[in-house]
Amino acid sequence: MLNTYDILQTIDMLDNQHLDIRTVTMGINLLDCAHPHIDTCARRVYDKICRQAEKLLPVAQGIEEELGIPIVNKRISVTPIAMVAQASDETDYTPIAKAMDRAAATCGVDFIGGFSALVQKGLTKGDRRLIDSIPQALAETKLVCASVNVGSTKAGINMDAVAAMGKIVKQTAQATAQQGSIGCAKLVVFCNAVEDNPFMAGAFHGPGEPECAINVGVSGPGVVYHALQEAKGKPFDEVAEIIKKTAFRITRMGQLVARLAASRLDVPFGVVDLSLAPTPAVGDSVARILEEMGLSVCGTHGTTAALALLNDAVKKGGLMASGRVGGLSGAFIPVSEDEGMIAAARSGVLTLDKLEAMTCVCSVGLDMIAVPGDTPAETISAIIADEAAIGMVNNKTTAVRLIPAVGCQVGDTVDFGGLLGAAPVMPVHQESAADFIARGGHIPAPLHSLKN
């Protein structure tokens, strides 16, 4: 139960330590919107989203005012559109993306996710059509986010899909070149994607979810950083305990908001996702937490160990605070959205290879990383394959959100504004992986996938 001490500490976190509810996300099932005519399907999608989410914004705003807790984003996630649209013979699913975009604007939310396909074991006709539609869909919408799951521990890695996604990322960058290739910031490629993730760009309402659900994402890198300032020189055992206690308090706040939102919207409460998702604001950085543990710069030797401790302690603290911790929950390392990561990347200490090593022990993966615009599609596919392999073998969610910024080279900066931040363009290896990607087929699931 909440007590006065918890409430007072939470108030201090809100006022002085950048604590916020990063997102309240409503998940909506759209399977009953399927129709042989794409325009009818799109109209059904629009109508159902508006009907289900019409009160999401006012309810969230009411909770903000009542509790004094900032809710930074209000979002919607929907059933993977590849499942909904394949009832139609239409090959271009952009009309549905546009319907999602209009519905999101009507409801007043910040983003809508679910222009998605789950292809870890193979591609249906709907999956292929959705993937082919992604560049145009993201170029012609503002609020729509897309994702594709190409691998899992149980199924292995679909290398045909990996090869396709390298090309799609390049096409999306070109289609949105006038906006700094921002379409790629709304496109993520997963391994082991979860069905209740409230964070964009990877949020979708999984087929195992109820008709509608409320999932809340809480973020507090600044709170953890502040707590560790009082632990200078202490051993890691004590550092872990401090992080666990801090995560517990943060999760309590998230659970309160989630329960209120679910009750007032009359939909089930799904999960609280306790992810240390940073922002470009000073004092709200995961990188600075790692440096507070004793690293001179994030990315130097010791960074992976520090991140492993942080991620584990966050999960343990959150699990003790709520029986409904889910989503991704841990520490995110999106380069463009973390001022400490940006500084470390610009200094040359934080490299793509080091980031890949760090993804073995944190939540998600290579996130919001800008690379030169002339990076070959096969290289992007190879990066996706490497990250998917980490997720598959370690039975964890991994993802890639790369931005091959058209016209940019190493040393340039791509500025997206807002929470998406500014990404320094990082170098990739110049040696080719084209023959590797051209093999196609399937990388088999690891032996430990057989757990029945």
Side-chain angles (χ1 to χ4, degrees), residues 15 19 33 52 59-60 130 135-136 145 150 169 210 214 228 243 254 314 344 392:
D15 289 344
L19 179 60
C33 296
Q52 292 278 13
V59 164
L130 182 129
Q136 183 177 352
C145 294
V150 299
V169 170
I214 287 292
L228 289 184
I243 295 171
V314 165
M392 175 186 71

Side-chain angles (χ1 to χ4, degrees), residues 13-239:
M13 293 174 184
L14 293 167
D15 289 344
N16 302 311
Q17 300 168 31
H18 297 277
L19 179 60
D20 57 48
I21 299 293
R22 186 55 50 85
T23 179
V24 172
T25 301
M26 174 179 280
I28 303 172
N29 170 35
L30 296 183
L31 287 175
D32 56 353
C33 296
H35 194 275
H37 299 292
I38 196 79
D39 292 337
T40 301
C41 180
R43 186 175 67 251
R44 288 181 172 184
V45 165
Y46 174 85
D47 290 344
K48 185 165 187 182
I49 293 171
C50 291
R51 185 168 64 250
Q52 292 278 13
E54 63 178 347
K55 296 180 181 179
L56 176 60
L57 182 61
V59 164
Q61 290 174 333
I63 292 171
E64 280 185 288
E65 294 172 5
E66 179 180 333
L67 301 181
I69 297 173
I71 300 175
V72 179
N73 283 280
K74 297 81 180 174
R75 297 165 174 169
I76 296 169
S77 64
V78 300
T79 307
I81 292 300
M83 296 180 178
V84 179
Q86 66 180 346
S88 169
D89 288 331
E90 184 67 45
T91 58
D92 181 10
Y93 291 172
T94 302
I96 297 181
K98 290 182 175 180
M100 293 168 60
D101 202 49
R102 292 195 305 274
T106 299
C107 294
V109 299
D110 299 280
F111 287 108
I112 182 167
F115 198 75
S116 307
L118 310 178
V119 301
Q120 58 269 22
K121 208 165 185 178
L123 289 89
T124 66
K125 67 175 184 179
D127 296 329
R128 294 182 186 277
R129 291 169 179 173
L130 182 129
I131 289 172
D132 290 341
S133 301
I134 287 174
Q136 183 177 352
L138 295 184
E140 297 186 15
T141 60
K142 184 178 180 181
L143 306 177
V144 173
C145 294
S147 61
V148 177
N149 190 71
V150 299
S152 72
T153 299
K154 292 293 289 185
I157 303 172
N158 184 344
M159 290 300 293
D160 292 325
V162 168
M165 288 311 300
K167 297 174 183 177
I168 293 298
V169 170
K170 287 281 289 184
Q171 292 169 18
T172 303
Q174 192 63 52
T176 56
Q178 297 304 311
Q179 296 82 44
S181 299
I182 195 171
C184 295
K186 300 185 292 174
L187 170 60
V188 58
V189 186
F190 275 115
C191 177
N192 287 322
V194 296
E195 298 188 355
D196 55 6
N197 165 27
F199 286 99
M200 299 298 170
F204 63 87
H205 190 65
E209 293 291 295
E211 182 71 14
C212 190
I214 287 292
N215 298 315
V216 167
V218 184
S219 181
V223 179
V224 175
Y225 175 76
H226 179 84
L228 289 184
Q229 287 182 312
E230 301 176 6
K232 294 183 183 297
K234 293 185 178 180
F236 284 115
D237 317 70
E238 296 185 36
V239 170

Side-chain angles (χ1 to χ4, degrees), residues 218-221 224 243 250 274-278 286 289 310 314 330-334:
V218 184
S219 181
V224 175
I243 295 171
I250 296 170
L274 178 62
S275 289
L276 296 186
V286 170
I289 295 174
L310 173 64
V314 165
F332 288 178
I333 51 172

Side-chain angles (χ1 to χ4, degrees), residues 291-314:
E291 291 170 356
E292 185 63 26
M293 292 186 195
L295 304 172
S296 59
V297 180
C298 177
T300 192
H301 304 299
T303 299
T304 305
L307 184 57
L309 182 151
L310 173 64
N311 202 62
D312 180 68
V314 165

